[in-house]
Amino acid sequence: MLTVAVLISGGGSNLRALLEAASDPAYPARVIVVGADREADGLAHAEEFGIPSFVVPWPGADRRDAWGEELNVQLRAWRPDLVVLSGLMRLVPPAVVAEWSPRLINTHPAYLPEFPGAHAVRDALAAGAALTGASVIVVDDGVDSGPILAQERVGILPGDDESRLHERIKPVERRLLIDVVRRIATGELELAAAS
Ligand code: GRF
């Protein structure tokens, strides 16, 4: 049984999808802890599913490395097989990447390497792209630059704004994430080989 820690910053709809998938006894992974960089709304999903959670408040960019060390302390206590960033709106510090990658993956609402960074959906719209997508990658020290584990195209429709497009991308992200975690759990997908 693959044990998974999920880190969030926001509403946690992707987290919820993983919690729901993991509720199926046949699913080969379990979320054992949820972490956040603030009192994120998504922590309510952890509570609803009876999953422990922790918060390491973001102290500001000047103390990012200290934040990373505390994040490592919290994660070490749970010894997860895999750490999933799903809506964590922070670049994890090098100490976190060094300790957990390649067992450290991220979901991103674009077809990487297109539109990396924190505003992928807005950037795709601004670029006038006809297609964007969703990706699941291994986290490395770059910005959304790690090995791609899964990705799928999502069309941009006339009249799409950032919110509507993002809400159409998220279900694709969730499906990709649930499948990638399952494939890691079954050994079908070997992370070391991917990185
Ligand atoms: C997701 O699209 C994720 O890829 C991006 O932020 C969104 C988080 O959504 N980093 P939610 O908090 O899971 O609803």
Side-chain angles (χ1 to χ4, degrees):
M1 182 61 69
L2 189 83
T3 59
V4 181
V6 183
L7 302 181
I8 64 169
S9 296
S13 65
N14 287 350
L15 160 68
R16 185 177 185 90
L18 196 52
L19 290 170
E20 288 171 347
S23 299
D24 178 347
Y27 191 72
R30 286 290 175 272
V31 177
I32 57 171
V33 67
V34 176
D37 61 333
R38 62 189 190 88
E39 289 301 330
D41 292 345
L43 292 172
H45 300 312
E47 188 173 351
E48 180 184 333
F49 281 77
I51 308 293
S53 63
F54 63 80
V55 175
V56 181
W58 175 251
D62 58 331
R63 299 198 60 246
R64 177 169 172 249
D65 290 340
W67 180 74
E69 288 304 331
E70 178 55 28
L71 206 50
N72 274 342
V73 167
Q74 292 292 333
L75 287 171
R76 281 185 205 119
W78 294 95
R79 300 158 54 88
D81 298 319
L82 177 69
V83 180
V84 173
L85 309 183
S86 187
L88 183 72
M89 298 311 285
R90 305 291 176 196
L91 277 183
V92 290
V96 176
V97 176
E99 174 132 357
W100 300 98
S101 193
R103 299 177 298 118
L104 175 64
I105 67 174
N106 181 34
T107 62
H108 185 74
Y111 200 83
L112 291 170
E114 299 166 3
F115 311 119
H119 306 293
V121 179
R122 187 176 75 190
D123 294 346
L125 283 169
L131 288 173
T132 183
S135 304
V136 180
I137 62 170
V138 173
V139 176
D140 65 7
D141 279 319
V143 178
D144 299 318
S145 54
I148 294 170
L149 300 175
Q151 61 184 174
E152 186 174 308
R153 281 291 186 186
V154 175
I156 296 178
L157 304 179
D160 265 347
D161 60 14
E162 182 175 356
S163 169
R164 191 176 306 134
L165 176 54
H166 203 165
E167 287 312 306
R168 193 161 63 247
I169 293 171
K170 282 184 183 181
V172 177
E173 274 188 88
R174 292 169 203 151
R175 179 164 40 78
L176 293 178
L177 176 63
I178 289 163
D179 187 51
V180 163
V181 171
R182 183 184 53 72
R183 289 192 290 133
I184 293 168
T186 61
E188 190 183 329
L189 179 56
E190 288 188 30
L191 289 176
S195 56

